[in-house]
């Protein structure tokens, strides 16, 4: 089992280009697994973890409801935002500057074969990261992602999640609001959940800006501990 994860920070990159790159890495792992099975070989499958920040974009998961996007095509254009229907789970979400997006493209057979556990570990890596900033957060029953004030009238989501998995290979991932412009969330019903607010780390801390590189380091630390993995920059 290969527990080394190749880390790539893509910087600010268009959503569609990044999605295509994810698909390319994903297909490479799946094809290798098929080859191993067909030819009875045991070549190691690689794992990847992409950090990226996207220009303003709204994405709708395969089970999502288009009515949760509250903008017309012209209004999207006026806001300088793109819109894509994609092949992850979940409903609608927003990505943009000030948000840390993480895409683990890993072969779970290198770690454990349990999608539920995988999602809980993703959430846990974010929860542990936010706790380092003194943020009290956790899960909301029946809803993925990381929440503050779950179960109260003040519930607000700070990290959205949506993944796709095939042959135990994952893609897509999480979006943590660090310094994001919350105004862009007013144009959607985030994740299709009415009456729930969205927040950012800098708002919760009451400061103008949080060091995003520092947040990334903390996420990687907790992710590597939970998955018993080693990151290598590529």
């Amino acid at each position: 089992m290969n527990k080394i994860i190749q880390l790539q920070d893509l910087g600010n990159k268009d959503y569609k280009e990044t999605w295509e790159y994810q698909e390319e890495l994903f297909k490479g792992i799946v094809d290798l697994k098929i080859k191993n099975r067909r030819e009875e070989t045991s070549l190691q499958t690689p794992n990847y973890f992409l950090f990226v920040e996207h220009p303003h974009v709204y994405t709708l998961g395969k089970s999502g409801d288009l009515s949760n996007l509250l903008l017309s095509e012209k209004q999207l254009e006026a806001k300088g935002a793109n819109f894509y229907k994609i092949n992850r789970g979940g409903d609608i979400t927003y990505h943009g500057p000030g948000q840390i997006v993480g895409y683990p493209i890993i072969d779970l057979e290198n770690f454990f074969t349990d999608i539920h556990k995988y999602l809980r570990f993703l959430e846990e890596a974010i929860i542990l990261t936010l706790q380092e900033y003194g943020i009290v957060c956790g899960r909301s029953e029946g809803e993925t992602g990381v929440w503050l004030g779950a179960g109260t009238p003040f519930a607000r989501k700070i990290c959205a999640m949506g993944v796709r998995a095939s042959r135990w290979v994952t893609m897509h991932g999480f979006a943590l609001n660090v310094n994001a412009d919350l105004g862009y969330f007013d144009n959607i019903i985030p994740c299709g959940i009415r009456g729930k607010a969205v927040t950012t780390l800098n708002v919760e801390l009451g400061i103008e800006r949080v060091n995003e590189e520092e947040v990334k380091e903390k996420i990687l630390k907790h992710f590597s501990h939970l998955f018993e993995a080693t990151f290598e920059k590529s």
Side-chain angles (χ1 to χ4, degrees):
M1 294 197 296
N2 176 24
K3 289 182 177 286
I4 295 170
I5 302 176
Q6 297 175 43
L7 174 65
Q8 298 178 28
D9 193 325
L10 305 180
N12 189 290
K13 193 173 178 70
D14 175 75
Y15 185 87
K16 189 166 187 294
E17 284 179 36
T18 310
W19 183 15
E20 287 168 353
Y21 183 50
Q22 274 196 83
E23 291 277 15
E24 183 185 314
L25 297 176
F26 177 88
K27 185 177 184 299
I29 300 172
V30 170
D31 286 351
L32 184 52
K33 294 185 78 167
I34 292 169
K35 174 184 168 73
N36 277 340
R37 194 157 296 176
R38 187 175 58 234
E39 299 179 9
E40 296 184 358
T41 52
S42 52
L43 299 169
Q44 275 195 341
T45 51
N47 307 291
Y48 305 93
F49 189 111
L50 310 179
F51 270 133
V52 65
E53 180 184 79
H54 293 305
H56 301 297
V57 64
Y58 296 100
T59 68
L60 184 71
K62 57 189 176 184
S63 58
D65 185 343
L66 187 56
S67 67
N68 290 325
L69 174 65
L70 309 178
L71 295 175
S72 68
E73 202 170 314
K74 276 190 176 180
Q75 288 171 318
L76 276 170
E77 199 175 310
K79 288 190 172 290
N82 288 318
F83 170 74
Y84 297 109
K85 288 183 180 179
I86 60 172
N87 60 351
R88 60 159 169 79
D91 205 285
I92 197 162
T93 195
Y94 160 78
H95 298 307
Q99 189 183 69
I100 293 176
V101 178
Y103 296 133
I105 305 162
I106 61 177
D107 181 1
L108 286 177
E109 288 192 304
N110 286 325
F111 302 93
F112 49 78
T113 49
D114 185 331
I115 294 294
H116 180 79
K117 181 178 177 180
Y118 172 67
L119 280 166
R120 300 296 79 79
F121 271 18
L122 280 189
E123 290 167 346
E124 191 67 14
I126 301 300
I127 290 168
L128 292 170
T129 295
L130 294 174
Q131 283 176 352
E132 290 200 53
Y133 290 91
I135 300 293
V136 178
C137 58
R139 299 173 178 86
S140 180
E141 193 176 343
E143 299 166 334
T144 57
V146 177
W147 296 76
L148 281 70
T152 76
F154 308 105
R156 53 213 186 275
K157 183 180 256 191
I158 196 165
C159 183
M161 294 189 181
V163 303
R164 177 193 171 201
S166 176
R167 295 180 183 266
W168 297 113
V169 181
T170 67
M171 65 180 288
H172 300 297
F174 64 84
L176 174 62
N177 299 326
V178 181
N179 301 302
D181 180 348
L182 288 172
Y184 277 83
F185 287 97
D186 295 338
N187 305 313
I188 58 172
I189 300 168
C191 304
I193 304 167
R194 290 181 182 276
K196 296 277 181 81
V198 179
T199 191
T200 65
L201 183 53
N202 71 317
V203 165
E204 295 297 327
L205 293 177
I207 61 177
E208 190 175 336
R209 189 158 192 86
V210 177
N211 184 323
E212 291 171 29
E213 293 308 311
E214 182 185 84
V215 178
K216 289 177 188 176
E217 285 173 16
K218 293 181 188 301
I219 292 170
L220 293 176
K221 176 181 69 177
H222 294 299
F223 190 100
S224 63
H225 177 73
L226 288 163
F227 285 82
E228 298 177 351
T230 304
F231 282 102
E232 287 185 356
K233 288 187 178 177
S234 61

